[in-house]
Amino acid sequence: MSKLIRIGTRDSQLALWQAKIVQSQLEHLGHKTVLVPVKSTGDIVLDKPIYELGITGVFTKTLDIAMLNGDIDIAVHSMKDVPTVLPNGIVQAAVIKRGNVRDCLVFKDNEEFLSQREAVIATGSLRRRAQWLNRYPTHTMVGLRGNVNSRLEKLENNDWNGAIFAAAGLGRLDIKPEESFNLEWMIPAPAQGAIMVTAIESDEETLTILKEINHEESEIATAIERKFLNLLEGGCSAPIGALAFVKEEEVHFQGVLLSLDGTKKIEIQRTVALGAHHDLAQFCADYIIERGGNRLMDALKSNKKANIFSTKTLTEDQKQRFSDAVVSESSDFIKISLNRMTKTVLRPMPKNVIITSKNAVESLLTNFASEDLKFENIYCVGRKTKRYVERKIGKVKHTENSAKALANYLIEYIDGTAVTYFCSDVRLDDLPTILAENHIAVDEVIAYETKYDAQKIDDTVEGVMFYSPSTVQSYKQENDDNIIAFCIGETTAKEAKKHFKDVRVAKMPTVESVVDLVNQHYED
């Protein structure tokens, strides 16, 4: 019986198109397959942090984790999105025959603006921006994010002359407008237009199968481009272009490194015989570095300023989760002061207890020994709080994702008519108000105090991550409204909407889900 190959893919329209190409090639060769669209990694638990496993790619990590967990056999990626160093235990298994490598300009009315001093061009790519400004230094560049369809829509709805896309994406979705042409002079991103298939390094049977669909010339060309990128220590956030192709037993290569504003450009073209190409990337990277590329890269790194700010200090694992397009900074905009509680709080021992944060747990454990906290029924808000309570105090009877949802649950199912609520001095009114209106007595114990500790953020910051109404209120004490608010949940978003026009809410009430929300905005 032949092996069923589970093909992992993201669930976007373009990703599914790519996965189906791989599926059709495998099935044409007689292999049985099934597509497995993978959505979120929010609930996946690994033995180690993702950065220790070498998982760094924002667009690839979901499939990397699914593969390491044994949920899929292979993963299909846009090759330009794959980090040049793959996660531990995962290898490149095939490169499909490459499609259109070029960038494509989609314009609004006509092409006359190309010969004019003033024009507005949209792109979310630093590489495209730098190359365009190098050629048209008086033009104005504006940011453009989102999937292919939403970017075309933004072009239609804005007063721009044109926008730059990957020609392969437009062609594969069959949505390339007539008002467009390929930019033959623009050097594409390394591996643009190529599809990579990855697999587990130890899965020899699958690796053997995938060799059957590997296109050798595309593999050679993309390997050179990606090595060139790796040697220059670049990523999606550096203006680096690379293009290699095989023709008549020769390998041709073009590479370029630019400053962000396009005023400085170092480029190389080189052709070698096929078979003598193994040192081509090294030679070209050395050429760029020796002619000022190292100084240019250092300047790029030092010029990186934050475009996203988190109002809560992020862990190393959370920072590693960001896209290469994100430069993040973080600081605790809320400082917590644990209150002193006397033993009268436990006399008599509360039967029903509500805990909505880890801070309340910390306060309880600072004042009392865990064995003294013999609560009969503990109710929580948030799964992380629930896990923390069960690790530190005892079994949680029920949890909800918001205080309002928990209040509505307790109206129906509470054992008794009274509850003790360990909370902050700054809290929303939903929970105690709903309970009181339904004749459930609430004894509020102020377990900790919340103090605002905001700082003024840089003008380069485009979006701010918020985790509670208090973080929004703290931010507003020092900063203006001209940002995108990325919120952990609806309660936080409700407060944010009082101040900001663009408010977005994470799918799950976790920091990681807020990071994913930010990455979605910066998807190129």
Side-chain angles (χ1 to χ4, degrees), residues 57-58 77 87 119 170 184 189 228 230 256 339 373 380-381 413 498:
V58 58
H77 302 289
L170 295 172
E184 300 295 336
F228 175 78
N230 180 259
V256 67
N339 282 350
L373 302 174
C380 281
V381 172
Y413 299 108
K498 297 177 184 177

Side-chain angles (χ1 to χ4, degrees), residues 357-373:
S357 72
K358 290 172 67 175
N359 295 320
V361 178
E362 293 290 351
S363 182
L364 282 166
L365 294 174
T366 300
N367 284 279
F368 310 111
S370 59
E371 55 266 25
D372 293 335
L373 302 174

Side-chain angles (χ1 to χ4, degrees), residues 312 315 318 336 338 355-366 380-393 422-424 447-448 511:
K312 171 186 172 71
T315 66
Q318 289 160 351
I336 300 301
L338 304 181
I355 299 175
T356 58
S357 72
K358 290 172 67 175
N359 295 320
V361 178
E362 293 290 351
S363 182
L364 282 166
L365 294 174
T366 300
C380 281
V381 172
R383 286 178 298 172
K384 285 192 174 181
T385 303
K386 175 181 182 285
R387 288 196 292 268
Y388 195 64
V389 169
E390 293 191 331
R391 196 162 72 244
K392 297 288 189 177
I393 299 177
F422 292 100
C423 60
S424 166
Y448 61 97
V511 177

Side-chain angles (χ1 to χ4, degrees), residues 455-459 461 464 466 472 475-484 499-500:
Q455 67 182 64
K456 180 71 176 173
I457 64 171
D458 291 338
D459 293 339
V461 171
V464 178
F466 295 110
V472 176
Y475 170 88
K476 277 298 298 171
Q477 292 201 331
E478 294 288 339
N479 299 284
D480 60 29
D481 302 344
N482 191 28
I483 54 101
I484 301 169
H499 311 284
F500 312 113

Side-chain angles (χ1 to χ4, degrees), residues 103-114:
D103 293 294
C104 174
L105 180 69
V106 180
F107 55 90
K108 291 286 282 292
D109 302 314
N110 55 58
E111 305 166 45
E112 291 179 6
F113 64 89
L114 292 173

Side-chain angles (χ1 to χ4, degrees), residues 321-440:
R321 197 179 182 96
F322 279 117
S323 154
D324 286 338
V326 175
V327 180
S328 70
E329 287 185 11
S330 64
S331 178
D332 290 321
F333 273 40
I334 296 294
K335 300 295 185 189
I336 300 301
S337 174
L338 304 181
N339 282 350
R340 179 173 172 76
M341 289 183 275
T342 66
K343 290 189 176 180
T344 56
V345 171
L346 305 181
R347 295 178 186 158
M349 182 65 63
K351 178 180 179 180
N352 298 312
V353 165
I354 296 174
I355 299 175
T356 58
S357 72
K358 290 172 67 175
N359 295 320
V361 178
E362 293 290 351
S363 182
L364 282 166
L365 294 174
T366 300
N367 284 279
F368 310 111
S370 59
E371 55 266 25
D372 293 335
L373 302 174
K374 300 185 184 302
F375 306 130
E376 187 174 327
N377 302 313
I378 303 175
Y379 301 96
C380 281
V381 172
R383 286 178 298 172
K384 285 192 174 181
T385 303
K386 175 181 182 285
R387 288 196 292 268
Y388 195 64
V389 169
E390 293 191 331
R391 196 162 72 244
K392 297 288 189 177
I393 299 177
K395 183 70 176 172
V396 171
K397 185 164 186 179
H398 188 78
T399 184
E400 291 284 353
N401 283 335
S402 71
K404 186 175 181 180
L406 180 60
N408 289 325
Y409 170 86
L410 290 172
I411 292 168
E412 297 291 331
Y413 299 108
I414 192 170
D415 183 7
T417 57
V419 65
T420 299
Y421 180 21
F422 292 100
C423 60
S424 166
D425 62 325
V426 178
R427 55 111 181 103
L428 295 178
D429 295 331
D430 289 346
L431 190 146
T433 299
I434 292 170
L435 294 181
E437 287 173 349
N438 288 273
H439 312 294
I440 296 172

